[in-house]
Amino acid sequence: MDCKKVFLMRAKRKLMQKSMAIRDIISRLALPLLVTASLVGCATPTLRGTGDLGVVIERATGSVQILDTTHRSSLGKVNGLGDLSHASVSYSRDGRYAFVFGRDGGLSKVDLLTQSITHRVIQAGNSIGGAISQDGKLIAVANYEPGGVRIFSVDDLTPIADIPAVGANGKRSKVVGLVDAPGRRFVFSLYDAGEIWVADMHKPQQPILHKFTDVGKEPYDGMITSDGHFYAAGLFGEDGVALLDLWNLQAGVKRTLVQVGRHGEKLPVYKMPHLEGWATTGDLIVLPGVGQHEIILADQNTWQEVARIPVAGQPVFAIARPDNRQVWINFAFPDNETVQVLDLPSRSIVKTLKPGKAVLHLEFTPRGDQVWVSARDDNRIDIYDPETFEHIGRLPADKPSGIFFTSRANRTGL
Amino acid sequence: MDCKKVFLMRAKRKLMQKSMAIRDIISRLALPLLVTASLVGCATPTLRGTGDLGVVIERATGSVQILDTTHRSSLGKVNGLGDLSHASVSYSRDGRYAFVFGRDGGLSKVDLLTQSITHRVIQAGNSIGGAISQDGKLIAVANYEPGGVRIFSVDDLTPIADIPAVGANGKRSKVVGLVDAPGRRFVFSLYDAGEIWVADMHKPQQPILHKFTDVGKEPYDGMITSDGHFYAAGLFGEDGVALLDLWNLQAGVKRTLVQVGRHGEKLPVYKMPHLEGWATTGDLIVLPGVGQHEIILADQNTWQEVARIPVAGQPVFAIARPDNRQVWINFAFPDNETVQVLDLPSRSIVKTLKPGKAVLHLEFTPRGDQVWVSARDDNRIDIYDPETFEHIGRLPADKPSGIFFTSRANRTGL
């Protein structure tokens, strides 16, 4: 805690400036001053609400910046988070702590108020993301190596349960697409085994597993609709989506949207779209076409394709503005300087923006008054008014990727 | 700030216990200690996140209790809020401040962390509710007397704008059903004039008003769908609902759901249902039947009736569990000891609870792991697990009515 030391040094210096008599007793004062310093903690942590905070991942430096959307500012930086070349974040239910999932298997608990890491474990060799349980008590991490899900206490990252992902083929599989679901459940996909598992966490130490086998080849990511009703896994080894109705597990996994896939790899896939970026907008689901220069609109009830919209490149994220009227889309290389805005009522692209080099992610404030865009190769975040497209802010950041606001704490599947 | 004094006294006492030499220099140390004390602030307001907080209105005593949903506890009480016999709450975008709208025209800004009122104004003679703008900068209050909307700065409740509700009939009207809407707008209804107004707040000091006249007799409350697409006002003077598509103001106000009304007052209406309690669940809208012992299900796209479900009494609030699968309903006198749970897939009542005497309100935690129920005449709040219906907590409260969690800060129309 550097700031504590600074505080102590400053206090000592002030005393030194007094008389020699005081200097004599500095050693005796050290204890109460230390007590004071620990009461104060860092001078920085102001009493404040956490509803307007967030973090941005700085992938090259293994750090996060803490963001304030009210003042469109950065409050500080937390280092020491390991390899963040593919990282994501979940939030504690009080919005104070960010759980950062690193590529190197690191799981870190970051306190946004004191701007420090309170706990950190290397829980696997290679991990891909995580989720927090509906009640806010458990953190689950999806691992590639060793393949499986590990579950920890949010309080101190104590291990609670370990779920090795051994498929029906007897082999351990990489785990992808891990999400939380209502009813104290986690849902995830086994990439190598082609399976979807539902873990019932009513007894956290003894998860009950519902396994769905033969769901399709190579599920590469998964998402849950915002109401927690459907879990969908995108298939890489074949065209289509594996769909599970979480209100009716007995019905099993169905194959749908077989048009969504690569169609024999007409185009090389530069970057797999993130399914978390599938926008669900009431009655429509908005999917990035894999390897296609198009966005697919499907009916959220029937999961049948409704329309295709041509766009500027291979879409990566398709993220709905919180009012569900427009969807903002970013793209894979070589079109990753572009962001397009799809208007759903007219089904047309109403705006093309060039925010910067290598746009990796975008995040809306929860009521949609701002959208924050990370431009990795320009080392900055740009902020826009989603209604007018006006540029309303810019912050420097070191190779920024994902932006995550604390409002995610209130939502299922984020 | 009493706690600062306590802190200072304790620090001095510690030093006094050292040598006389130290005592000599206490006066010189007073300045740095004071600085320290102001850095610490009160010992009481702990550094903490605000995402798991809320308040309950205590109507008889003009107070609120501050609630913590992680520990299912009450953190304290704030008094001096005036007449809360009909009160509601909006939250600042950081989740730290509750804006409490009292019946007596009082508007109070309550700091949940220091548990104190930071600002309070009596802004009208009789008010009915309020809303916070999409960007979190403006608080609007709907007034009966004098009829109109007044708008204040969230920072210090400085008046920003005043919108007298003079209808096309030339008379000043009571204002009801005030909500915030995307695009920096407020929407509200004029009870006496039968009008709906949209106030565009792009220039906060000079609201631009879009007025829709002749929308139907006596709109008594209004609501906005969770995506901010539709504004609906329930009509008291005739059967039906006045509906405005906020994506297409040119289309004007349409009359719909004419079956929803009282049908010639077959039953006396003991308590008007709150439209804010209309549950929107993706493709269904769930409405309490006015004066009827039934719940009406309507299609959210066509606003046509789909089904009617018989229930235990005249419904007041019909509130969707955050996963949209079930709707919890409370009732007017004499059935106000009962809460029923409607399962939407099966369209049947799956649970009848008797939480206590005079159940006035219920509120879900944002991801649906808990539901808090206020029982006014039993002077308590009861907490249930919405999945199992298990009773998981109880807190004493003084004639509790509305319960409001800070997650409302992230939602449109709340």
Side-chain angles (χ1 to χ4, degrees):
Chain A
M1 299 285 257
D2 289 343
C3 49
K4 268 192 198 168
K5 282 184 197 155
V6 168
F7 179 86
L8 201 58
M9 281 170 61
R10 280 190 193 147
K12 281 194 177 183
R13 202 184 307 137
K14 277 203 171 177
L15 286 170
M16 296 291 274
Q17 289 161 355
K18 304 262 166 185
S19 72
M20 290 297 288
I22 296 176
R23 196 180 296 173
D24 290 343
I25 51 155
I26 282 176
S27 56
R28 297 191 225 181
L29 279 173
L31 182 66
L33 275 174
L34 265 169
V35 169
T36 308
S38 69
L39 273 171
V40 177
C42 287
T44 346
T46 328
L47 200 66
R48 59 163 300 150
T50 49
D52 56 349
L53 299 183
V55 300
V56 59
I57 301 289
E58 296 183 308
R59 45 187 290 152
T61 48
S63 54
V64 297
Q65 279 191 51
I66 296 168
L67 308 171
D68 168 344
T69 68
T70 299
H71 304 96
R72 295 174 207 154
S73 63
S74 170
L75 300 178
K77 190 185 279 239
V78 177
N79 291 296
L81 295 164
D83 178 1
L84 299 185
S85 60
H86 188 287
S88 71
V89 171
S90 290
Y91 282 99
S92 62
R93 76 201 298 289
D94 63 0
R96 175 173 180 175
Y97 299 98
F99 297 92
V100 181
F101 309 99
R103 189 55 183 258
D104 55 1
L107 168 61
S108 310
K109 181 176 179 178
V110 175
D111 184 340
L112 303 192
L113 293 178
T114 61
Q115 302 184 10
S116 61
I117 299 172
T118 66
H119 300 83
R120 176 166 162 82
V121 292
I122 302 294
Q123 55 80 44
N126 188 332
S127 73
I128 190 67
I132 185 165
S133 60
Q134 183 185 21
D135 61 8
K137 292 181 181 167
L138 304 171
I139 283 285
V141 193
N143 292 320
Y144 276 8
E145 187 49 50
V149 172
R150 296 196 68 194
I151 290 164
F152 302 87
S153 159
V154 292
D155 295 330
D156 55 6
L157 305 186
T158 304
I160 301 284
D162 188 10
I163 305 174
V166 179
N169 59 10
K171 292 179 191 161
R172 201 144 175 168
S173 171
K174 294 191 197 80
V175 169
V176 298
L178 170 67
V179 300
D180 59 286
R184 299 183 215 182
R185 295 182 290 184
F186 290 114
V187 189
F188 49 92
S189 297
L190 280 61
Y191 177 83
D192 308 294
E195 301 185 12
I196 294 174
W197 290 10
V198 178
D200 177 329
M201 304 302 300
H202 280 80
K203 292 182 181 171
Q205 265 104 8
Q206 297 159 291
I208 296 168
L209 300 172
H210 301 267
K211 301 178 182 178
F212 299 89
T213 57
D214 197 21
V215 305
K217 281 185 194 154
E218 298 169 357
Y220 66 91
D221 198 3
M223 60 84 73
I224 189 167
T225 53
S226 55
D227 60 3
H229 188 168
F230 292 103
Y231 177 82
L235 300 175
F236 188 71
E238 61 189 280
D239 289 347
V241 167
L243 184 69
L244 180 60
D245 181 346
L246 295 171
W247 294 4
N248 184 13
L249 294 184
Q250 284 69 34
V253 171
K254 288 179 183 140
R255 211 72 53 87
T256 184
L257 285 169
V258 291
Q259 319 90 328
V260 170
R262 294 166 299 152
H263 297 283
E265 271 178 294
K266 283 177 203 162
L267 287 167
V269 179
Y270 290 108
K271 183 171 168 59
M272 291 306 295
H274 277 259
L275 296 206
E276 198 181 87
W278 288 10
T280 55
T281 66
D283 48 0
L284 281 182
I285 182 158
V286 183
L287 304 89
V290 179
Q292 311 292 312
H293 287 201
E294 54 192 17
I295 288 286
I296 294 143
L297 305 184
D299 183 299
Q300 198 178 317
N301 292 307
T302 64
W303 286 81
Q304 295 302 305
E305 182 175 322
V306 170
R308 288 182 175 235
I309 317 289
V311 289
Q314 292 187 5
V316 177
F317 282 102
I319 300 182
R321 201 170 74 176
D323 72 351
N324 287 338
R325 182 176 181 164
Q326 295 185 345
V327 176
W328 287 50
I329 304 147
N330 73 335
F331 301 96
F333 177 86
D335 303 300
N336 56 0
E337 298 187 7
T338 299
V339 166
Q340 288 194 309
V341 181
L342 167 63
D343 180 64
L344 287 177
S346 64
R347 292 186 185 173
S348 61
I349 299 295
V350 291
K351 190 75 184 177
T352 298
L353 296 162
K354 300 277 183 187
K357 290 180 192 156
V359 171
L360 292 195
H361 195 225
L362 37 93
E363 176 97 336
F364 286 91
T365 50
R367 294 206 290 158
D369 58 324
Q370 301 169 29
V371 59
W372 292 46
V373 180
S374 60
R376 183 192 61 200
D377 295 349
D378 275 332
N379 291 303
R380 66 178 194 230
I381 296 168
D382 282 283
I383 310 170
Y384 293 88
D385 178 333
E387 184 197 359
T388 60
F389 309 114
E390 186 191 348
H391 184 260
I392 54 173
R394 175 169 290 174
L395 295 174
D398 207 340
K399 301 286 175 201
S401 57
I403 302 171
F404 304 91
F405 294 146
T406 54
S407 49
R408 288 173 171 249
N410 293 336
R411 291 183 56 192
T412 294
L414 292 183
Chain B
M1 301 285 252
D2 289 341
C3 48
K4 269 192 199 170
K5 281 184 196 155
V6 169
F7 179 86
L8 200 59
M9 280 171 63
R10 279 189 195 148
K12 281 196 177 183
R13 202 184 308 138
K14 277 204 174 179
L15 286 170
M16 294 290 273
Q17 288 160 356
K18 302 266 169 184
S19 71
M20 290 298 289
I22 296 176
R23 194 180 296 173
D24 291 345
I25 53 156
I26 283 176
S27 57
R28 298 191 221 178
L29 279 173
L31 182 66
L33 276 173
L34 265 168
V35 170
T36 307
S38 68
L39 276 172
V40 178
C42 284
T44 342
T46 327
L47 200 66
R48 59 163 298 148
T50 49
D52 57 348
L53 298 183
V55 300
V56 60
I57 301 289
E58 295 184 309
R59 47 186 288 153
T61 49
S63 54
V64 296
Q65 279 190 51
I66 296 167
L67 309 171
D68 168 345
T69 68
T70 298
H71 303 96
R72 295 173 205 154
S73 62
S74 170
L75 300 178
K77 190 185 278 238
V78 178
N79 291 296
L81 296 164
D83 178 0
L84 300 185
S85 61
H86 188 288
S88 70
V89 171
S90 289
Y91 282 100
S92 62
R93 72 201 301 288
D94 63 0
R96 175 172 178 175
Y97 299 98
F99 296 93
V100 181
F101 309 100
R103 189 56 184 255
D104 54 3
L107 167 62
S108 310
K109 181 175 178 179
V110 175
D111 183 341
L112 304 191
L113 293 177
T114 61
Q115 303 183 10
S116 61
I117 298 171
T118 66
H119 299 83
R120 177 167 162 80
V121 292
I122 302 294
Q123 56 80 43
N126 188 332
S127 73
I128 190 69
I132 184 165
S133 60
Q134 182 185 20
D135 61 8
K137 292 181 181 168
L138 304 171
I139 283 284
V141 193
N143 292 320
Y144 276 9
E145 186 49 50
V149 172
R150 296 197 66 196
I151 290 163
F152 301 87
S153 158
V154 292
D155 295 330
D156 56 5
L157 306 186
T158 303
I160 301 283
D162 188 8
I163 305 174
V166 179
N169 59 11
K171 291 179 191 162
R172 200 144 176 167
S173 171
K174 294 192 197 80
V175 169
V176 297
L178 169 66
V179 299
D180 59 286
R184 301 183 213 180
R185 295 184 290 184
F186 290 115
V187 189
F188 50 92
S189 297
L190 279 62
Y191 177 83
D192 307 295
E195 300 185 13
I196 294 174
W197 289 11
V198 178
D200 177 329
M201 303 302 299
H202 280 82
K203 293 183 181 171
Q205 265 106 6
Q206 298 159 291
I208 297 168
L209 300 173
H210 301 266
K211 301 178 182 180
F212 299 88
T213 56
D214 198 22
V215 306
K217 282 187 192 152
E218 297 169 357
Y220 66 92
D221 198 2
M223 60 85 73
I224 189 167
T225 52
S226 55
D227 60 3
H229 188 168
F230 292 103
Y231 177 82
L235 301 173
F236 188 72
E238 61 188 280
D239 289 346
V241 167
L243 185 68
L244 179 60
D245 181 345
L246 295 172
W247 294 4
N248 184 12
L249 293 184
Q250 285 68 33
V253 171
K254 287 177 184 143
R255 211 71 52 87
T256 184
L257 284 168
V258 291
Q259 320 89 327
V260 169
R262 292 166 300 150
H263 297 284
E265 271 181 291
K266 282 175 202 160
L267 287 166
V269 179
Y270 289 108
K271 183 169 168 61
M272 291 306 295
H274 277 257
L275 296 207
E276 199 181 87
W278 288 9
T280 54
T281 66
D283 49 359
L284 281 181
I285 182 158
V286 182
L287 304 90
V290 179
Q292 310 293 312
H293 287 200
E294 53 191 19
I295 288 286
I296 294 143
L297 305 185
D299 182 299
Q300 197 177 317
N301 291 307
T302 64
W303 286 80
Q304 295 302 305
E305 182 175 324
V306 170
R308 288 183 174 235
I309 316 288
V311 289
Q314 291 187 7
V316 177
F317 282 102
I319 300 181
R321 201 170 73 177
D323 72 352
N324 286 339
R325 183 175 181 165
Q326 295 184 345
V327 176
W328 287 51
I329 305 146
N330 73 335
F331 301 96
F333 177 86
D335 303 299
N336 56 359
E337 299 187 4
T338 300
V339 166
Q340 288 194 309
V341 181
L342 167 62
D343 180 63
L344 287 178
S346 65
R347 294 186 184 173
S348 62
I349 299 295
V350 291
K351 190 73 183 179
T352 298
L353 295 162
K354 300 277 185 188
K357 289 179 191 156
V359 171
L360 292 195
H361 196 226
L362 37 92
E363 175 98 335
F364 286 90
T365 51
R367 295 207 290 158
D369 58 323
Q370 302 169 31
V371 58
W372 292 46
V373 180
S374 60
R376 183 191 62 199
D377 295 348
D378 276 332
N379 291 303
R380 67 180 194 228
I381 296 167
D382 282 282
I383 311 169
Y384 294 88
D385 178 334
E387 184 197 0
T388 60
F389 308 114
E390 187 190 349
H391 185 261
I392 55 173
R394 174 169 290 173
L395 294 174
D398 207 340
K399 302 286 175 201
S401 57
I403 303 171
F404 304 91
F405 294 146
T406 54
S407 50
R408 287 172 172 251
N410 292 335
R411 292 183 54 193
T412 294
L414 291 184

